[in-house]
Amino acid sequence: MRGRALRRAVWAVVSLLVTAGTVSAHQIQASRFAAPIPLGYLYAGAGVTVLVTAAASARLVSDPTADERTHAVLGRRATRALVAGVQLLAVAGFAVVLYRGFVGRQIRAANVATLMTWVLAVHGLALVAALVGSPWRVLAPWNALYDWLCRLEGRAVALRERDVAWLGGWPALAGFLLLVGVLENLTVVPESPSKTAALLAAYTLWMLAGLLVVGPTWREHADPVGVFLALLGRVAPIAVHRRDSRLGATLRAPWAACARPVASVGRVAFVVATVYTISFDGFTSTPQFQALLVGAHGLLGISYTATEIALYLAGFTGFLAAFALTAVLVDRLGGGHDVVATARHIAPSVLPIAVVYEVAHYSTAVVTSAARVAELALAGIGLDVAFAPLAWLSVPTYWGFEVVVIVAGHVVAVVAAHYATLRRYDDRTRAWRAHGPLVALMVAYTVLSLWIVSRPVVS
């Protein structure tokens, strides 16, 4: 029964894609082209696909983890050797990035500091996390330095070790809004290798100071990139993990971990910020945003950068309000009496949307930046090589790819929402009623996402 429902959902997606044919590219030479069907039909078809999936999800089994399979990959000794080697390489690479950022050519495309930091370390690892889980615990250089210090001391090092759960993840959210939402998307900092290196040094000091003062729990509440990657890792169909010093991998459905609640309201807000920030970055490249920016600049009488920041924060507030309203409706229809608990349960169900928009918006940038880093590395040993990994890719083809991943991600999100409401209310009738507002939110966001990616190039 479950397999038949899933096949119906997949068939709905395939039908949409066959009908739609070919949406915009982030790092591809832009050119306008005529959409194969009217865009209104595309939006309607995507919305119907999500609705059909919602109807089919009612027939799924109650436990999304029923088909999970965990396999051992490496034993203790091999796992320790692998982790030690990766951490050593990560720290060495981080030192090179800092050095080149301060003393290398101060051109973004010619410096590994800017290429590695803003594209590969954030968005490249986001794609990795969406496939196999977050690798940040091993790759973050401050984690390696702290682990080495603890190994020398023979214990967890903390001047005043304490549980900082009261922070609720809010420092990580503030850091994400600042680093990704503002500095990456709205300022010239990513264009400057030296400023990027200085920011990396400050980030490292922030994390190391917290680890040394309060201990390992600091990571969960204050590391914006770490929390971002951990959230996206919930969607990974292969979850690679370390347990009892052994490396293992769990095969699971992409919605399985998205049906588990997050720990705090701060983490709920982080989930919303993840979805919103990726969408806002795409929106900033549209003519509609440019018109809005000019109008807001004239109205507010402040600089264009300050106006962009104000628009970003206003939009985030709007997304938070929309999600809060959805949580209230879900709780009332489900017969609950705790909106906060409901919000914590349903928030992870939107993570598949964040993942697919990350893929649609940044995958080409990741590929081209990785190729550029390889060129710079080879140039360092005297080899002048040029790579063009996306020379074959046209805008219409990439537009079709974006449609595929965006609609598929919303389908996964609808299934995750079904399981989340079922876990929250433990009654199929109540869960089905509570599912409605979430489906409506996802249909609206499906159309919004497709509208954003169609703006720059589709006529």
Side-chain angles (χ1 to χ4, degrees), residues 109-120:
N111 197 298
V112 295
T114 45
L115 293 171
M116 290 291 294
T117 301
W118 298 107
V119 182
L120 298 183

Side-chain angles (χ1 to χ4, degrees), residues 79-448:
T79 299
R80 287 170 182 163
L82 176 63
V83 170
V86 171
Q87 287 187 323
L88 186 61
L89 289 174
V91 172
F94 181 71
V96 170
V97 166
L98 282 182
Y99 174 76
R100 296 303 300 170
F102 285 121
V103 307
R105 294 181 64 191
Q106 295 301 299
I107 300 174
R108 174 172 181 159
N111 197 298
V112 295
T114 45
L115 293 171
M116 290 291 294
T117 301
W118 298 107
V119 182
L120 298 183
V122 178
H123 302 296
L125 290 182
L127 302 185
V128 172
L131 290 175
V132 297
S134 173
W136 195 244
R137 175 66 181 82
V138 176
L139 291 180
W142 45 85
N143 287 336
L145 295 174
Y146 180 74
D147 288 346
W148 294 344
L149 180 60
C150 291
R151 196 168 296 122
L152 285 174
E153 292 291 325
R155 60 181 179 87
V157 176
L159 297 178
R160 299 181 64 183
E161 185 172 5
R162 60 180 62 185
D163 183 7
V164 291
W166 57 272
L167 290 174
W170 293 106
L173 172 61
F176 180 79
L177 296 176
L178 175 63
L179 292 176
V180 179
V182 175
L183 293 181
E184 180 188 356
N185 296 333
L186 303 178
T187 73
V188 297
V189 172
E191 304 296 325
S192 169
S194 61
K195 291 178 180 177
T196 297
L199 183 63
L200 284 175
Y203 192 159
T204 303
L205 291 176
W206 161 260
M207 288 305 303
L208 271 179
L211 287 168
L212 292 174
V213 172
V214 303
T217 56
W218 181 250
R219 299 186 187 104
E220 302 173 19
H221 301 282
D223 188 350
V225 176
V227 173
F228 172 64
L229 296 179
L231 287 174
L232 297 191
R234 285 188 176 225
V235 185
I238 304 172
V240 178
H241 49 75
R242 276 191 296 163
R243 294 174 184 165
D244 298 325
S245 299
R246 292 185 175 92
L247 190 69
T250 299
L251 306 180
R252 64 191 185 187
W255 49 74
C258 297
R260 295 198 298 265
V262 292
S264 64
V265 176
R267 197 64 90 240
V268 171
F270 201 117
V271 171
V272 176
T274 298
V275 175
Y276 166 71
T277 299
I278 300 170
S279 300
F280 182 82
D281 186 27
F283 180 52
T284 57
S285 65
T286 66
Q288 287 77 10
F289 176 79
Q290 298 306 317
L292 177 63
L293 176 62
V294 171
H297 169 70
L299 180 65
L300 298 176
I302 55 180
S303 70
Y304 275 105
T305 299
T307 303
E308 286 182 305
I309 295 173
L311 291 175
Y312 170 72
L313 295 177
F316 178 51
T317 302
F319 264 60
L320 282 176
F323 185 82
L325 176 61
T326 302
V328 169
L329 293 175
V330 168
D331 193 60
R332 288 187 177 180
L333 292 175
H337 303 284
D338 189 340
V339 175
V340 172
T342 297
R344 290 194 302 104
H345 275 78
I346 66 175
S349 66
V350 303
L351 288 172
I353 298 174
V355 165
V356 296
Y357 207 83
E358 183 82 22
V359 172
H361 193 59
Y362 293 110
S363 57
T364 53
V366 169
V367 172
T368 53
S369 295
R372 182 57 182 153
V373 169
E375 291 174 359
L376 295 175
L378 292 173
I381 58 175
L383 296 178
D384 186 11
V385 180
F387 298 109
L390 298 179
W392 58 274
L393 187 59
S394 68
V395 173
T397 300
Y398 191 71
W399 196 74
F401 166 74
E402 288 185 310
V403 171
V404 171
V405 296
I406 287 174
V407 177
H410 283 78
V411 166
V412 172
V414 167
V415 177
H418 163 75
Y419 282 123
T421 53
L422 195 59
R423 179 187 290 265
R424 171 73 177 117
Y425 299 110
D426 197 27
D427 178 87
R428 282 190 173 272
T429 302
R430 295 168 63 196
W432 176 245
R433 290 200 305 264
H435 197 201
L438 270 174
V439 173
L441 179 69
M442 290 173 182
V443 168
Y445 193 67
T446 301
V447 175
L448 175 64

